Amino acid sequence: AQSVTQLGSHVSVSEGALVLLRCNYSSSVPPYLFWYVQYPNQGLQLLLKYTTGATLVKGINGFEAEFKKSETSFHLTKPSAHMSDAAEYFCAVSALPAYSGAGSYQLTFGKGTKLSVIP
Amino acid sequence: NAGVTQTPKFQVLKTGQSMTLQCAQDMNHEYMSWYRQDPGMGLRLIHYSVGAGITDQGEVPNGYNVSRSTTEDFPLRLLSAAPSQTSVYFCASSSAGTGGGYTFGSGTRLTVV
């Protein structure tokens, strides 16, 4: 079984400040990890993903995340927050179907972190 | 390229009514899924499909039915709506080669009174 914990349901940062959204996962098999962003009244958009290879992953809009196996973490960062970054962010985990027993990649989501950017 | 299209965007049902939420994708993706989103709960998987004619249950399947007769379409049926099914529903699709990088539709906001 897999699970995701996002620390902080609501995070506020000042415009231009560092954004750090925390995600810890639990998985008994090699995980695939994702960050999605949801703007108000919209669907989810993939920000970035880690499957294999380089543990520092760069995504869209200047975001990046680092997979740390020893810490079971996949925190999302951005050096300088913009007003347009205000949204809800979801961390998710999946695994190769051969490992998970499911017929396909199935995402398990965290409960989300709402990011507010203060002018 | 439309991506994943969900209809309707909004719906109000009375308890006991049935309805179908439509989902279509034009990316020839093998995998399709339905999620529900409730405040503070994240997204939870209802049903999923790995290809035409093949479906399976997710985390919260009770009260919902699915079928997949074509690659493009994956409708979700509410058999007898209950207030507990008030939620925002998202359909998503993925290619087998993306490792779970799903493309999401814009959602259907359903209220059951």
Side-chain angles (χ1 to χ4, degrees):
Chain A
Q2 299 173 305
S3 66
V4 174
T5 301
Q6 291 184 239
L7 297 177
S9 58
H10 198 161
V11 171
S12 293
V13 299
S14 298
E15 191 174 16
L18 171 71
V19 176
L20 171 60
L21 303 183
R22 299 178 187 274
C23 172
N24 288 88
Y25 69 91
S26 173
S27 178
S28 58
V29 298
Y32 288 3
L33 295 159
F34 306 84
W35 276 99
Y36 284 85
V37 60
Q38 184 180 33
Y39 298 102
N41 299 314
Q42 295 188 25
L44 278 71
Q45 180 183 4
L46 181 64
L47 266 180
L48 49 80
K49 66 179 182 182
Y50 167 80
T51 53
T52 57
T55 56
L56 182 62
V57 180
K58 295 185 185 299
I60 62 172
N61 301 337
F63 285 93
E64 63 182 36
E66 186 171 11
F67 170 56
K68 293 187 176 181
K69 183 178 179 180
S70 61
E71 299 176 8
T72 61
S73 68
F74 192 58
H75 302 329
L76 181 71
T77 61
K78 182 175 180 177
S80 176
H82 295 162
M83 295 299 296
S84 59
D85 295 328
E88 190 158 19
Y89 292 80
F90 292 92
C91 183
V93 63
S94 74
L96 275 171
Y99 285 134
S100 67
S104 69
Y105 298 99
Q106 296 307 323
L107 294 172
T108 298
F109 284 89
K111 295 184 177 181
T113 298
K114 189 164 292 187
L115 176 67
S116 298
V117 181
I118 304 166
Chain B
N1 191 345
V4 178
T5 302
Q6 291 184 238
T7 56
K9 293 191 181 303
F10 302 94
Q11 183 71 49
V12 179
L13 286 180
K14 294 183 178 180
T15 297
Q17 287 185 318
S18 63
M19 79 159 294
T20 299
L21 308 185
Q22 301 292 344
C23 176
Q25 52 95 5
D26 61 359
M27 298 171 284
N28 203 32
H29 284 170
E30 300 92 335
Y31 302 157
M32 296 186 75
S33 300
W34 277 102
Y35 293 87
R36 60 177 289 171
Q37 182 180 26
D38 302 291
M41 300 289 288
L43 281 83
R44 293 179 292 169
L45 181 65
I46 304 172
H47 285 286
Y48 67 95
S49 169
V50 300
I54 306 170
T55 64
D56 206 346
Q57 297 180 352
E59 179 185 356
V60 288
N62 292 340
Y64 307 95
N65 200 2
V66 292
S67 61
R68 192 162 175 207
S69 56
T70 67
T71 299
E72 295 78 19
D73 299 302
F74 190 43
L76 178 72
R77 297 181 185 84
L78 279 69
L79 308 173
S80 177
S84 61
Q85 294 178 305
T86 293
S87 187
V88 182
Y89 292 85
F90 289 100
C91 179
S93 72
S94 174
S95 169
T98 62
Y102 280 81
T103 299
F104 282 77
S106 58
T108 295
R109 186 175 295 273
L110 175 68
T111 302
V112 183
V113 298

